[in-house]
mmCIF file with all atom_site columns, all heavy atoms in Angstrom:
data_model
loop_
_atom_site.group_PDB
_atom_site.id
_atom_site.type_symbol
_atom_site.label_atom_id
_atom_site.label_alt_id
_atom_site.label_comp_id
_atom_site.label_asym_id
_atom_site.label_entity_id
_atom_site.label_seq_id
_atom_site.pdbx_PDB_ins_code
_atom_site.Cartn_x
_atom_site.Cartn_y
_atom_site.Cartn_z
_atom_site.occupancy
_atom_site.B_iso_or_equiv
_atom_site.pdbx_formal_charge
_atom_site.auth_seq_id
_atom_site.auth_comp_id
_atom_site.auth_asym_id
_atom_site.auth_atom_id
_atom_site.pdbx_PDB_model_num
ATOM 1   N N   . GLN U 1 1  ? -95.601  25.293 159.414 1.00 0.00 ? 1  GLN U N   1
ATOM 2   C CA  . GLN U 1 1  ? -96.202  24.005 159.096 1.00 0.00 ? 1  GLN U CA  1
ATOM 3   C C   . GLN U 1 1  ? -96.855  24.049 157.718 1.00 0.00 ? 1  GLN U C   1
ATOM 4   O O   . GLN U 1 1  ? -96.659  23.153 156.883 1.00 0.00 ? 1  GLN U O   1
ATOM 5   C CB  . GLN U 1 1  ? -97.256  23.629 160.152 1.00 0.00 ? 1  GLN U CB  1
ATOM 6   C CG  . GLN U 1 1  ? -97.905  22.280 159.859 1.00 0.00 ? 1  GLN U CG  1
ATOM 7   C CD  . GLN U 1 1  ? -99.108  22.010 160.744 1.00 0.00 ? 1  GLN U CD  1
ATOM 8   O OE1 . GLN U 1 1  ? -99.498  22.873 161.526 1.00 0.00 ? 1  GLN U OE1 1
ATOM 9   N NE2 . GLN U 1 1  ? -99.691  20.845 160.628 1.00 0.00 ? 1  GLN U NE2 1
ATOM 10  N N   . ASP U 1 2  ? -97.593  25.111 157.449 1.00 0.00 ? 2  ASP U N   1
ATOM 11  C CA  . ASP U 1 2  ? -98.189  25.277 156.136 1.00 0.00 ? 2  ASP U CA  1
ATOM 12  C C   . ASP U 1 2  ? -97.129  25.400 155.054 1.00 0.00 ? 2  ASP U C   1
ATOM 13  O O   . ASP U 1 2  ? -97.233  24.838 153.965 1.00 0.00 ? 2  ASP U O   1
ATOM 14  C CB  . ASP U 1 2  ? -99.053  26.545 156.087 1.00 0.00 ? 2  ASP U CB  1
ATOM 15  C CG  . ASP U 1 2  ? -100.346 26.412 156.878 1.00 0.00 ? 2  ASP U CG  1
ATOM 16  O OD1 . ASP U 1 2  ? -100.684 25.289 157.298 1.00 0.00 ? 2  ASP U OD1 1
ATOM 17  O OD2 . ASP U 1 2  ? -101.034 27.451 157.068 1.00 0.00 ? 2  ASP U OD2 1
ATOM 18  N N   . ASN U 1 3  ? -96.077  26.179 155.343 1.00 0.00 ? 3  ASN U N   1
ATOM 19  C CA  . ASN U 1 3  ? -94.961  26.303 154.404 1.00 0.00 ? 3  ASN U CA  1
ATOM 20  C C   . ASN U 1 3  ? -94.496  24.924 153.953 1.00 0.00 ? 3  ASN U C   1
ATOM 21  O O   . ASN U 1 3  ? -94.298  24.658 152.760 1.00 0.00 ? 3  ASN U O   1
ATOM 22  C CB  . ASN U 1 3  ? -93.770  27.005 155.047 1.00 0.00 ? 3  ASN U CB  1
ATOM 23  C CG  . ASN U 1 3  ? -93.966  28.480 155.299 1.00 0.00 ? 3  ASN U CG  1
ATOM 24  O OD1 . ASN U 1 3  ? -93.343  29.034 156.192 1.00 0.00 ? 3  ASN U OD1 1
ATOM 25  N ND2 . ASN U 1 3  ? -94.863  29.136 154.576 1.00 0.00 ? 3  ASN U ND2 1
ATOM 26  N N   . ALA U 1 4  ? -94.281  24.050 154.955 1.00 0.00 ? 4  ALA U N   1
ATOM 27  C CA  . ALA U 1 4  ? -93.721  22.725 154.669 1.00 0.00 ? 4  ALA U CA  1
ATOM 28  C C   . ALA U 1 4  ? -94.703  21.858 153.880 1.00 0.00 ? 4  ALA U C   1
ATOM 29  O O   . ALA U 1 4  ? -94.348  21.284 152.849 1.00 0.00 ? 4  ALA U O   1
ATOM 30  C CB  . ALA U 1 4  ? -93.344  22.030 155.996 1.00 0.00 ? 4  ALA U CB  1
ATOM 31  N N   . VAL U 1 5  ? -95.933  21.790 154.346 1.00 0.00 ? 5  VAL U N   1
ATOM 32  C CA  . VAL U 1 5  ? -96.937  20.902 153.709 1.00 0.00 ? 5  VAL U CA  1
ATOM 33  C C   . VAL U 1 5  ? -97.215  21.345 152.287 1.00 0.00 ? 5  VAL U C   1
ATOM 34  O O   . VAL U 1 5  ? -97.232  20.545 151.330 1.00 0.00 ? 5  VAL U O   1
ATOM 35  C CB  . VAL U 1 5  ? -98.215  20.874 154.547 1.00 0.00 ? 5  VAL U CB  1
ATOM 36  C CG1 . VAL U 1 5  ? -99.335  20.143 153.799 1.00 0.00 ? 5  VAL U CG1 1
ATOM 37  C CG2 . VAL U 1 5  ? -97.969  20.195 155.886 1.00 0.00 ? 5  VAL U CG2 1
ATOM 38  N N   . MET U 1 6  ? -97.445  22.661 152.094 1.00 0.00 ? 6  MET U N   1
ATOM 39  C CA  . MET U 1 6  ? -97.794  23.142 150.765 1.00 0.00 ? 6  MET U CA  1
ATOM 40  C C   . MET U 1 6  ? -96.614  23.177 149.822 1.00 0.00 ? 6  MET U C   1
ATOM 41  O O   . MET U 1 6  ? -96.766  22.923 148.620 1.00 0.00 ? 6  MET U O   1
ATOM 42  C CB  . MET U 1 6  ? -98.420  24.530 150.900 1.00 0.00 ? 6  MET U CB  1
ATOM 43  C CG  . MET U 1 6  ? -99.735  24.515 151.668 1.00 0.00 ? 6  MET U CG  1
ATOM 44  S SD  . MET U 1 6  ? -100.471 26.163 151.851 1.00 0.00 ? 6  MET U SD  1
ATOM 45  C CE  . MET U 1 6  ? -101.887 25.768 152.856 1.00 0.00 ? 6  MET U CE  1
ATOM 46  N N   . SER U 1 7  ? -95.431  23.443 150.332 1.00 0.00 ? 7  SER U N   1
ATOM 47  C CA  . SER U 1 7  ? -94.240  23.397 149.494 1.00 0.00 ? 7  SER U CA  1
ATOM 48  C C   . SER U 1 7  ? -93.944  21.973 149.070 1.00 0.00 ? 7  SER U C   1
ATOM 49  O O   . SER U 1 7  ? -93.581  21.719 147.904 1.00 0.00 ? 7  SER U O   1
ATOM 50  C CB  . SER U 1 7  ? -93.029  23.978 150.241 1.00 0.00 ? 7  SER U CB  1
ATOM 51  O OG  . SER U 1 7  ? -93.184  25.335 150.513 1.00 0.00 ? 7  SER U OG  1
ATOM 52  N N   . ALA U 1 8  ? -94.126  21.013 149.975 1.00 0.00 ? 8  ALA U N   1
ATOM 53  C CA  . ALA U 1 8  ? -93.891  19.609 149.660 1.00 0.00 ? 8  ALA U CA  1
ATOM 54  C C   . ALA U 1 8  ? -94.817  19.153 148.544 1.00 0.00 ? 8  ALA U C   1
ATOM 55  O O   . ALA U 1 8  ? -94.385  18.453 147.605 1.00 0.00 ? 8  ALA U O   1
ATOM 56  C CB  . ALA U 1 8  ? -94.074  18.754 150.904 1.00 0.00 ? 8  ALA U CB  1
ATOM 57  N N   . ALA U 1 9  ? -96.086  19.534 148.637 1.00 0.00 ? 9  ALA U N   1
ATOM 58  C CA  . ALA U 1 9  ? -97.046  19.147 147.603 1.00 0.00 ? 9  ALA U CA  1
ATOM 59  C C   . ALA U 1 9  ? -96.634  19.699 146.241 1.00 0.00 ? 9  ALA U C   1
ATOM 60  O O   . ALA U 1 9  ? -96.701  19.006 145.201 1.00 0.00 ? 9  ALA U O   1
ATOM 61  C CB  . ALA U 1 9  ? -98.444  19.606 147.987 1.00 0.00 ? 9  ALA U CB  1
ATOM 62  N N   . MET U 1 10 ? -96.210  20.947 146.218 1.00 0.00 ? 10 MET U N   1
ATOM 63  C CA  . MET U 1 10 ? -95.800  21.603 144.955 1.00 0.00 ? 10 MET U CA  1
ATOM 64  C C   . MET U 1 10 ? -94.541  20.968 144.391 1.00 0.00 ? 10 MET U C   1
ATOM 65  O O   . MET U 1 10 ? -94.448  20.703 143.187 1.00 0.00 ? 10 MET U O   1
ATOM 66  C CB  . MET U 1 10 ? -95.621  23.090 145.244 1.00 0.00 ? 10 MET U CB  1
ATOM 67  C CG  . MET U 1 10 ? -95.384  23.937 144.010 1.00 0.00 ? 10 MET U CG  1
ATOM 68  S SD  . MET U 1 10 ? -95.308  25.701 144.438 1.00 0.00 ? 10 MET U SD  1
ATOM 69  C CE  . MET U 1 10 ? -97.034  26.009 144.861 1.00 0.00 ? 10 MET U CE  1
ATOM 70  N N   . LEU U 1 11 ? -93.570  20.701 145.268 1.00 0.00 ? 11 LEU U N   1
ATOM 71  C CA  . LEU U 1 11 ? -92.300  20.180 144.788 1.00 0.00 ? 11 LEU U CA  1
ATOM 72  C C   . LEU U 1 11 ? -92.400  18.721 144.363 1.00 0.00 ? 11 LEU U C   1
ATOM 73  O O   . LEU U 1 11 ? -91.774  18.304 143.380 1.00 0.00 ? 11 LEU U O   1
ATOM 74  C CB  . LEU U 1 11 ? -91.249  20.325 145.891 1.00 0.00 ? 11 LEU U CB  1
ATOM 75  C CG  . LEU U 1 11 ? -90.792  21.772 146.163 1.00 0.00 ? 11 LEU U CG  1
ATOM 76  C CD1 . LEU U 1 11 ? -89.913  21.823 147.406 1.00 0.00 ? 11 LEU U CD1 1
ATOM 77  C CD2 . LEU U 1 11 ? -90.073  22.349 144.975 1.00 0.00 ? 11 LEU U CD2 1
ATOM 78  N N   . LYS U 1 12 ? -93.170  17.935 145.100 1.00 0.00 ? 12 LYS U N   1
ATOM 79  C CA  . LYS U 1 12 ? -93.297  16.523 144.743 1.00 0.00 ? 12 LYS U CA  1
ATOM 80  C C   . LYS U 1 12 ? -93.974  16.353 143.379 1.00 0.00 ? 12 LYS U C   1
ATOM 81  O O   . LYS U 1 12 ? -93.661  15.410 142.646 1.00 0.00 ? 12 LYS U O   1
ATOM 82  C CB  . LYS U 1 12 ? -94.071  15.767 145.842 1.00 0.00 ? 12 LYS U CB  1
ATOM 83  C CG  . LYS U 1 12 ? -93.243  15.573 147.122 1.00 0.00 ? 12 LYS U CG  1
ATOM 84  C CD  . LYS U 1 12 ? -94.034  14.872 148.191 1.00 0.00 ? 12 LYS U CD  1
ATOM 85  C CE  . LYS U 1 12 ? -93.194  14.691 149.445 1.00 0.00 ? 12 LYS U CE  1
ATOM 86  N NZ  . LYS U 1 12 ? -93.964  14.045 150.554 1.00 0.00 ? 12 LYS U NZ  1
ATOM 87  N N   . THR U 1 13 ? -94.880  17.264 143.046 1.00 0.00 ? 13 THR U N   1
ATOM 88  C CA  . THR U 1 13 ? -95.476  17.239 141.716 1.00 0.00 ? 13 THR U CA  1
ATOM 89  C C   . THR U 1 13 ? -94.413  17.419 140.645 1.00 0.00 ? 13 THR U C   1
ATOM 90  O O   . THR U 1 13 ? -94.543  16.887 139.517 1.00 0.00 ? 13 THR U O   1
ATOM 91  C CB  . THR U 1 13 ? -96.537  18.360 141.602 1.00 0.00 ? 13 THR U CB  1
ATOM 92  O OG1 . THR U 1 13 ? -97.556  18.119 142.579 1.00 0.00 ? 13 THR U OG1 1
ATOM 93  C CG2 . THR U 1 13 ? -97.174  18.371 140.218 1.00 0.00 ? 13 THR U CG2 1
ATOM 94  N N   . ALA U 1 14 ? -93.391  18.191 140.972 1.00 0.00 ? 14 ALA U N   1
ATOM 95  C CA  . ALA U 1 14 ? -92.279  18.432 140.033 1.00 0.00 ? 14 ALA U CA  1
ATOM 96  C C   . ALA U 1 14 ? -91.171  17.398 140.165 1.00 0.00 ? 14 ALA U C   1
ATOM 97  O O   . ALA U 1 14 ? -90.120  17.531 139.542 1.00 0.00 ? 14 ALA U O   1
ATOM 98  C CB  . ALA U 1 14 ? -91.733  19.833 140.244 1.00 0.00 ? 14 ALA U CB  1
ATOM 99  N N   . GLY U 1 15 ? -91.375  16.372 141.000 1.00 0.00 ? 15 GLY U N   1
ATOM 100 C CA  . GLY U 1 15 ? -90.389  15.342 141.160 1.00 0.00 ? 15 GLY U CA  1
ATOM 101 C C   . GLY U 1 15 ? -89.254  15.699 142.097 1.00 0.00 ? 15 GLY U C   1
ATOM 102 O O   . GLY U 1 15 ? -88.190  15.066 142.065 1.00 0.00 ? 15 GLY U O   1
ATOM 103 N N   . VAL U 1 16 ? -89.446  16.706 142.947 1.00 0.00 ? 16 VAL U N   1
ATOM 104 C CA  . VAL U 1 16 ? -88.386  17.171 143.843 1.00 0.00 ? 16 VAL U CA  1
ATOM 105 C C   . VAL U 1 16 ? -88.676  16.655 145.252 1.00 0.00 ? 16 VAL U C   1
ATOM 106 O O   . VAL U 1 16 ? -89.762  16.876 145.796 1.00 0.00 ? 16 VAL U O   1
ATOM 107 C CB  . VAL U 1 16 ? -88.315  18.702 143.884 1.00 0.00 ? 16 VAL U CB  1
ATOM 108 C CG1 . VAL U 1 16 ? -87.314  19.188 144.920 1.00 0.00 ? 16 VAL U CG1 1
ATOM 109 C CG2 . VAL U 1 16 ? -87.934  19.238 142.495 1.00 0.00 ? 16 VAL U CG2 1
ATOM 110 N N   . GLU U 1 17 ? -87.683  15.976 145.849 1.00 0.00 ? 17 GLU U N   1
ATOM 111 C CA  . GLU U 1 17 ? -87.844  15.450 147.221 1.00 0.00 ? 17 GLU U CA  1
ATOM 112 C C   . GLU U 1 17 ? -86.705  15.888 148.130 1.00 0.00 ? 17 GLU U C   1
ATOM 113 O O   . GLU U 1 17 ? -86.814  15.708 149.361 1.00 0.00 ? 17 GLU U O   1
ATOM 114 C CB  . GLU U 1 17 ? -87.916  13.926 147.173 1.00 0.00 ? 17 GLU U CB  1
ATOM 115 C CG  . GLU U 1 17 ? -89.151  13.374 146.451 1.00 0.00 ? 17 GLU U CG  1
ATOM 116 C CD  . GLU U 1 17 ? -89.239  11.886 146.522 1.00 0.00 ? 17 GLU U CD  1
ATOM 117 O OE1 . GLU U 1 17 ? -88.201  11.244 146.891 1.00 0.00 ? 17 GLU U OE1 1
ATOM 118 O OE2 . GLU U 1 17 ? -90.305  11.329 146.196 1.00 0.00 ? 17 GLU U OE2 1
ATOM 119 N N   . ARG U 1 18 ? -85.633  16.423 147.580 1.00 0.00 ? 18 ARG U N   1
ATOM 120 C CA  . ARG U 1 18 ? -84.466  16.809 148.392 1.00 0.00 ? 18 ARG U CA  1
ATOM 121 C C   . ARG U 1 18 ? -84.199  18.296 148.188 1.00 0.00 ? 18 ARG U C   1
ATOM 122 O O   . ARG U 1 18 ? -83.986  18.742 147.042 1.00 0.00 ? 18 ARG U O   1
ATOM 123 C CB  . ARG U 1 18 ? -83.241  15.969 147.983 1.00 0.00 ? 18 ARG U CB  1
ATOM 124 C CG  . ARG U 1 18 ? -83.451  14.475 148.153 1.00 0.00 ? 18 ARG U CG  1
ATOM 125 C CD  . ARG U 1 18 ? -82.193  13.676 147.816 1.00 0.00 ? 18 ARG U CD  1
ATOM 126 N NE  . ARG U 1 18 ? -81.729  13.971 146.439 1.00 0.00 ? 18 ARG U NE  1
ATOM 127 C CZ  . ARG U 1 18 ? -82.214  13.380 145.355 1.00 0.00 ? 18 ARG U CZ  1
ATOM 128 N NH1 . ARG U 1 18 ? -83.223  12.521 145.446 1.00 0.00 ? 18 ARG U NH1 1
ATOM 129 N NH2 . ARG U 1 18 ? -81.724  13.673 144.159 1.00 0.00 ? 18 ARG U NH2 1
ATOM 130 N N   . VAL U 1 19 ? -84.179  19.042 149.274 1.00 0.00 ? 19 VAL U N   1
ATOM 131 C CA  . VAL U 1 19 ? -84.057  20.501 149.157 1.00 0.00 ? 19 VAL U CA  1
ATOM 132 C C   . VAL U 1 19 ? -83.055  21.058 150.138 1.00 0.00 ? 19 VAL U C   1
ATOM 133 O O   . VAL U 1 19 ? -82.717  20.443 151.170 1.00 0.00 ? 19 VAL U O   1
ATOM 134 C CB  . VAL U 1 19 ? -85.435  21.188 149.424 1.00 0.00 ? 19 VAL U CB  1
ATOM 135 C CG1 . VAL U 1 19 ? -86.485  20.685 148.443 1.00 0.00 ? 19 VAL U CG1 1
ATOM 136 C CG2 . VAL U 1 19 ? -85.896  20.973 150.870 1.00 0.00 ? 19 VAL U CG2 1
ATOM 137 N N   . LEU U 1 20 ? -82.550  22.235 149.813 1.00 0.00 ? 20 LEU U N   1
ATOM 138 C CA  . LEU U 1 20 ? -81.834  23.079 150.766 1.00 0.00 ? 20 LEU U CA  1
ATOM 139 C C   . LEU U 1 20 ? -82.852  24.012 151.372 1.00 0.00 ? 20 LEU U C   1
ATOM 140 O O   . LEU U 1 20 ? -83.606  24.675 150.674 1.00 0.00 ? 20 LEU U O   1
ATOM 141 C CB  . LEU U 1 20 ? -80.737  23.889 150.085 1.00 0.00 ? 20 LEU U CB  1
ATOM 142 C CG  . LEU U 1 20 ? -79.629  23.139 149.343 1.00 0.00 ? 20 LEU U CG  1
ATOM 143 C CD1 . LEU U 1 20 ? -78.624  24.121 148.751 1.00 0.00 ? 20 LEU U CD1 1
ATOM 144 C CD2 . LEU U 1 20 ? -78.923  22.155 150.270 1.00 0.00 ? 20 LEU U CD2 1
ATOM 145 N N   . LEU U 1 21 ? -82.887  24.082 152.686 1.00 0.00 ? 21 LEU U N   1
ATOM 146 C CA  . LEU U 1 21 ? -83.879  24.868 153.390 1.00 0.00 ? 21 LEU U CA  1
ATOM 147 C C   . LEU U 1 21 ? -83.227  26.100 153.991 1.00 0.00 ? 21 LEU U C   1
ATOM 148 O O   . LEU U 1 21 ? -82.332  26.007 154.822 1.00 0.00 ? 21 LEU U O   1
ATOM 149 C CB  . LEU U 1 21 ? -84.533  24.038 154.498 1.00 0.00 ? 21 LEU U CB  1
ATOM 150 C CG  . LEU U 1 21 ? -85.653  24.709 155.291 1.00 0.00 ? 21 LEU U CG  1
ATOM 151 C CD1 . LEU U 1 21 ? -86.793  25.126 154.373 1.00 0.00 ? 21 LEU U CD1 1
ATOM 152 C CD2 . LEU U 1 21 ? -86.160  23.769 156.380 1.00 0.00 ? 21 LEU U CD2 1
ATOM 153 N N   . VAL U 1 22 ? -83.677  27.281 153.525 1.00 0.00 ? 22 VAL U N   1
ATOM 154 C CA  . VAL U 1 22 ? -83.098  28.549 153.962 1.00 0.00 ? 22 VAL U CA  1
ATOM 155 C C   . VAL U 1 22 ? -84.033  29.252 154.942 1.00 0.00 ? 22 VAL U C   1
ATOM 156 O O   . VAL U 1 22 ? -85.185  29.557 154.588 1.00 0.00 ? 22 VAL U O   1
ATOM 157 C CB  . VAL U 1 22 ? -82.812  29.470 152.767 1.00 0.00 ? 22 VAL U CB  1
ATOM 158 C CG1 . VAL U 1 22 ? -82.287  30.843 153.236 1.00 0.00 ? 22 VAL U CG1 1
ATOM 159 C CG2 . VAL U 1 22 ? -81.809  28.810 151.823 1.00 0.00 ? 22 VAL U CG2 1
ATOM 160 N N   . THR U 1 23 ? -83.537  29.504 156.136 1.00 0.00 ? 23 THR U N   1
ATOM 161 C CA  . THR U 1 23 ? -84.247  30.309 157.111 1.00 0.00 ? 23 THR U CA  1
ATOM 162 C C   . THR U 1 23 ? -83.253  30.771 158.168 1.00 0.00 ? 23 THR U C   1
ATOM 163 O O   . THR U 1 23 ? -82.078  30.411 158.113 1.00 0.00 ? 23 THR U O   1
ATOM 164 C CB  . THR U 1 23 ? -85.436  29.544 157.768 1.00 0.00 ? 23 THR U CB  1
ATOM 165 O OG1 . THR U 1 23 ? -86.200  30.456 158.551 1.00 0.00 ? 23 THR U OG1 1
ATOM 166 C CG2 . THR U 1 23 ? -84.939  28.397 158.638 1.00 0.00 ? 23 THR U CG2 1
ATOM 167 N N   . ASP U 1 24 ? -83.700  31.568 159.135 1.00 0.00 ? 24 ASP U N   1
ATOM 168 C CA  . ASP U 1 24 ? -82.802  32.032 160.195 1.00 0.00 ? 24 ASP U CA  1
ATOM 169 C C   . ASP U 1 24 ? -82.324  30.831 161.030 1.00 0.00 ? 24 ASP U C   1
ATOM 170 O O   . ASP U 1 24 ? -83.043  29.858 161.222 1.00 0.00 ? 24 ASP U O   1
ATOM 171 C CB  . ASP U 1 24 ? -83.536  32.973 161.152 1.00 0.00 ? 24 ASP U CB  1
ATOM 172 C CG  . ASP U 1 24 ? -84.166  34.153 160.435 1.00 0.00 ? 24 ASP U CG  1
ATOM 173 O OD1 . ASP U 1 24 ? -83.801  34.395 159.276 1.00 0.00 ? 24 ASP U OD1 1
ATOM 174 O OD2 . ASP U 1 24 ? -84.989  34.824 161.061 1.00 0.00 ? 24 ASP U OD2 1
#
C-alpha cells in the first residue's frame, strides 16, 4: 500500500500516470 501511494506521488510530480508494474 505504501509502495503504491508513495510511488504515485513521486511519479505524478513527474507527469507519469501510466506504468508497467513488476512483481511476482
Side-chain angles (χ1 to χ4, degrees):
Q1 181 191 4
D2 288 350
N3 291 155
V5 171
M6 296 179 183
S7 295
M10 188 174 289
L11 290 172
K12 287 178 180 179
T13 299
V16 175
E17 295 184 346
R18 301 182 303 278
V19 302
L20 300 181
L21 183 59
V22 176
T23 189
D24 305 345

